[in-house]
Amino acid sequence: MPRDIPVGNGSLLITFDSDYCLRDIYFPRTGKENHTDGHKFRLGIWVDGVFEWITAAWNLRLDYLPDTLVTHVTAINERLDISLHFNDLVDYRENIYIKKIILKNLSKKDREVRIFFHHDFHILETPTGDTAYYDPDERAIIHYKADRYFLISGIRHGKQGFDEYATGIKEFHRLEGTWRDAEDGRLEGAPISQGSVDSTISFSITLIGGEEQTLYYWICAGKSYADVSNLNKMVSGHGIEYFIKRTENYWRAWINKDDINLSSLPEDIASLYKRSLLILRT
């Protein structure tokens, strides 16, 4: 199945579908193993008592920042009076996937907005034998099986951690997973689940009329708890913008390293040529 706007660094590859759902997480190498097995990681919004998953039914535009493997995605819902701007990237050196979100309240009234991130891991390409749990020391949800670990956290208002979380059983006895728990705007799941499991986390942000705020979310991939814990501490220590800026700079340097004269090409064709090289690099 075709995918859109891939981001990667050679060992961690993330892809999305046309609904802007994360669909593939390849680690520790491109093409093998796919720890989602193609299942959706949903992204949802709750505001004014209404919940919606972001899909192509929104005013959705998927693109990249020029000369980079950093996405430039906008999602607007005029019915909810909400706009979101996203940048996705995988750090060029460390196995850290980062999502930067700028939420804007298009209404004139003050509002609470909750954003939900759902994770449907199939670690080692099977749904059985996984564990998902909340780790208070890391302020994160961790999914693992054997020697594959994925740590999920975020930060807003300078504070790491999320407001609510849930782990639960999926694909068993007709249970669909914690994404269904999210649809009432609250999460009330267990702190640990084992077997065929998923998880959802949420962040609550209060926006005054016309205001915008920034939220960061990340997934660290490793072969041990120590690996993902060290990456999480690295993010906390350096700050998330450090990894965003250095990855932007790396890809712009990489794509322009050869002195190729593209001046005879139309601007859109030259841009497409560079983007093709970057996507092939993933």
Side-chain angles (χ1 to χ4, degrees):
M1 182 177 180
R3 302 296 192 215
D4 294 85
I5 54 171
V7 291
N9 63 6
S11 61
L12 176 62
L13 172 65
I14 306 290
T15 76
F16 301 85
D17 64 17
S18 58
D19 284 340
Y20 190 50
C21 289
L22 190 156
R23 291 298 289 265
D24 302 298
I25 300 178
Y26 289 98
F27 175 79
R29 60 190 64 86
T30 299
K32 189 70 174 177
E33 304 108 15
N34 184 2
H35 300 287
T36 71
D37 201 27
H39 289 74
K40 288 186 177 184
F41 281 38
R42 295 169 169 85
L43 177 63
I45 295 289
W46 178 96
V47 60
D48 295 338
V50 177
F51 183 93
E52 284 197 16
W53 298 108
I54 294 175
T55 68
W58 287 48
N59 183 354
L60 189 61
R61 183 172 182 270
L62 282 62
D63 206 341
Y64 289 96
L65 293 178
D67 292 1
T68 74
L69 278 173
V70 178
T71 73
H72 177 76
V73 176
T74 55
I76 301 172
N77 189 311
E78 295 179 356
R79 188 171 68 86
L80 297 180
D81 277 335
I82 287 290
S83 74
L84 300 103
H85 171 92
F86 302 92
N87 299 121
D88 302 271
L89 65 134
V90 171
D91 182 70
Y92 82 93
R93 186 168 65 184
E94 306 294 344
N95 291 317
I96 306 169
Y97 160 62
I98 296 167
K99 183 188 291 289
K100 178 180 179 180
I101 311 108
I102 300 175
L103 299 92
K104 184 170 184 179
N105 180 8
L106 301 179
S107 169
K108 295 180 179 179
K109 63 181 181 180
D110 300 353
R111 313 160 88 194
E112 179 192 4
V113 178
R114 301 174 193 166
I115 184 164
F116 291 78
F117 298 87
H118 165 246
H119 318 106
D120 190 1
F121 281 99
H122 290 60
I123 299 176
L124 295 172
E125 302 183 346
T126 68
T128 58
D130 290 5
T131 298
Y133 72 97
Y134 173 65
D135 186 326
D137 293 330
E138 298 292 339
R139 290 170 286 181
I141 289 285
I142 295 179
H143 284 249
Y144 75 91
K145 177 164 60 188
D147 60 349
R148 299 290 183 264
Y149 281 73
F150 300 91
L151 179 152
I152 304 150
S153 192
I155 189 168
R156 80 276 188 250
H157 303 312
K159 180 182 178 182
Q160 184 176 342
F162 30 82
D163 292 291
E164 294 183 340
Y165 65 88
T167 71
I169 304 298
K170 66 178 186 192
E171 301 174 15
F172 184 72
H173 287 176
R174 299 183 179 179
L175 295 171
E176 295 182 88
T178 57
W179 63 277
R180 283 297 190 192
D181 184 26
E183 291 182 335
D184 64 356
R186 300 197 64 84
L187 294 171
E188 301 173 357
I192 183 168
S193 298
Q194 295 175 304
S196 179
V197 299
D198 73 340
S199 69
T200 304
I201 63 174
S202 71
F203 300 83
S204 177
I205 297 176
T206 299
L207 296 170
I208 65 173
E211 184 187 19
E212 64 180 33
Q213 291 192 32
T214 302
L215 164 70
Y216 300 97
Y217 160 95
W218 62 87
I219 301 176
C220 303
K223 296 182 179 180
S224 68
Y225 177 86
D227 283 352
V228 294
S229 176
N230 288 337
L231 290 173
N232 194 40
K233 290 178 173 59
M234 196 180 295
V235 172
S236 301
H238 287 291
I240 202 80
E241 283 289 343
Y242 166 82
F243 292 95
I244 294 173
K245 293 301 182 187
R246 79 173 192 171
T247 299
E248 280 187 40
N249 292 337
Y250 173 84
W251 289 119
R252 288 194 172 112
W254 184 86
I255 198 61
N256 293 301
K257 67 183 183 297
D258 296 321
D259 188 17
I260 300 175
N261 185 1
L262 303 177
S263 60
S264 61
L265 294 175
E267 186 176 344
D268 59 337
I269 300 299
S271 176
L272 181 60
Y273 166 76
K274 290 183 176 181
R275 180 180 299 180
S276 298
L277 291 179
L278 287 162
I279 291 174
L280 286 170
R281 177 65 173 78
T282 70

